[in-house]
């Protein structure tokens, strides 16, 4: 049983395209995180959400608590956005941390 | 300010040995959490320490243990290494926990032969 499901698993886009990555979860959460992992392993925390919407540069993250769904949008995608994007949730009971399997994004010039 | 520092970056150990990994959090961060990443299982939560106490624990066997010191530095120990323990081990620090976001270290890549 996967507490966090991400789609799509793989995504190839042309530079400049608008990209959406989806995350659905099945547990009650206190926070949802979007992480970015480049080849070599380093992980960067992009957003932490508990409600609503956040924007940072060309990245936008939204969450719908009632529907247990979050989306990560990238506007005007660029080859440097190529990475694996991981959705993670912090469960509000038991304090467990669950991860999606990641979405591998490749942006072609 | 300095980021999260993990040492060593790479490690090769033999099956049956034990290993200790170190994580120095960002100054002022009191929460340190550890994660294992493998190609097959992806990222999995190991445990979290806050103010020298283990606050949360994932579903890993007792061979995996950790501790946190008074300066918030944390160590993770794996005893009786198995081939399946080969993974990237990441730690992350936060001021107080999940509602304040995490900063990740670069990880320690452990290979068990």
């Amino acid at each position: 049983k996967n507490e966090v499901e991400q789609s799509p698993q793989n995504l190839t886009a042309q530079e400049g395209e608008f990209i959406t990555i989806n995350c659905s979860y099945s547990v009650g959460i206190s926070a949802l995180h979007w992480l970015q992992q480049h080849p070599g392993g380093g992980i960067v925390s992009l957003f932490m959400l508990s409600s609503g919407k956040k924007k940072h540069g060309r990245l936008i993250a939204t969450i719908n608590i009632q529907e247990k769904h979050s989306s990560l949008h990238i506007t005007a995608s660029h080859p440097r956005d190529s990475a694996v994007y991981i959705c993670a949730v912090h469960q509000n009971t038991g304090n467990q941390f669950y991860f999606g399997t990641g979405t591998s994004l490749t942006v072609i010039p | 300010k300095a980021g999260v520092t993990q040492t060593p970056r790479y490690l090769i150990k033999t099956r049956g040995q034990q290993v200790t990994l170190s994580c120095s959090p960002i100054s002022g961060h009191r929460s340190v959490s550890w994660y294992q990443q493998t190609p097959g299982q992806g990222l999995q939560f190991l445990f979290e320490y806050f103010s020298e106490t283990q606050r949360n624990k994932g579903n890993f066997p007792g061979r995996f243990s950790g501790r946190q010191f008074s300066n918030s530095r944390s160590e993770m120990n794996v005893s009786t290494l198995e081939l399946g323990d080969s993974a990237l081990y990441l730690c992350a620090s936060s001021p107080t926990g999940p509602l304040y976001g995490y900063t990740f270290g670069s990880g320690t890549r452990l290979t068990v032969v």
Side-chain angles (χ1 to χ4, degrees):
Chain A
K1 168 176 99 103
N2 293 325
E3 289 79 3
V4 181
E5 299 278 358
Q6 275 186 248
S7 63
Q9 271 194 310
N10 297 286
L11 185 54
T12 301
Q14 291 288 331
E15 183 174 357
E17 284 187 6
F18 180 85
I19 288 162
T20 296
I21 300 171
N22 294 299
C23 174
S24 296
Y25 53 92
S26 59
V27 297
I29 67 169
S30 55
L32 181 144
H33 302 257
W34 281 103
L35 310 172
Q36 179 193 57
Q37 186 171 33
H38 281 283
I43 291 180
V44 173
S45 178
L46 298 174
F47 294 104
M48 191 281 297
L49 295 159
S50 53
S51 65
K53 175 179 175 178
K54 287 190 176 179
K55 184 176 189 289
H56 181 69
R58 295 179 294 104
L59 274 59
I60 302 167
T62 64
I63 188 168
N64 185 317
I65 297 293
Q66 286 73 33
E67 294 186 4
K68 295 188 174 177
H69 181 269
S70 175
S71 293
L72 176 68
H73 306 286
I74 304 175
T75 62
S77 59
H78 190 276
R80 65 174 173 266
D81 297 326
S82 298
V84 175
Y85 293 84
I86 301 167
C87 173
V89 301
H90 194 270
Q91 191 178 16
N92 57 8
T93 57
N95 280 317
Q96 287 296 308
F97 210 164
Y98 298 108
F99 296 88
T101 53
T103 295
S104 180
L105 171 66
T106 302
V107 182
I108 300 170
Chain B
K1 63 183 180 183
V4 178
T5 302
Q6 288 190 247
T7 56
R9 288 295 309 275
Y10 302 92
L11 204 48
I12 300 175
K13 287 287 189 178
T14 303
R15 195 169 42 180
Q17 287 186 313
Q18 73 154 17
V19 67
T20 299
L21 312 181
S22 178
C23 174
S24 294
I26 289 172
S27 178
H29 284 195
R30 294 164 64 191
S31 167
V32 174
S33 49
W34 288 89
Y35 308 87
Q36 181 196 66
Q37 187 176 37
T38 59
Q41 298 293 321
L43 268 166
Q44 293 182 279
F45 170 69
L46 280 156
F47 30 66
E48 182 208 3
Y49 285 86
F50 180 80
S51 293
E52 302 180 66
T53 301
Q54 188 181 86
R55 186 159 67 173
N56 301 306
K57 188 177 187 305
N59 295 320
F60 276 81
R63 300 185 298 109
F64 292 82
S65 63
R67 60 178 173 169
Q68 187 179 34
F69 301 96
S70 58
N71 62 358
S72 293
R73 189 178 72 86
S74 178
E75 288 182 347
M76 190 194 95
N77 184 275
V78 188
S79 63
T80 319
L81 284 165
E82 301 177 0
L83 296 178
D85 297 332
S86 295
L88 178 67
Y89 290 89
L90 292 149
C91 82
S93 77
S94 172
T96 58
L99 295 183
Y100 293 88
Y102 289 96
T103 302
F104 284 82
S106 300
T108 293
R109 189 164 295 280
L110 171 66
T111 302
V112 182
V113 297

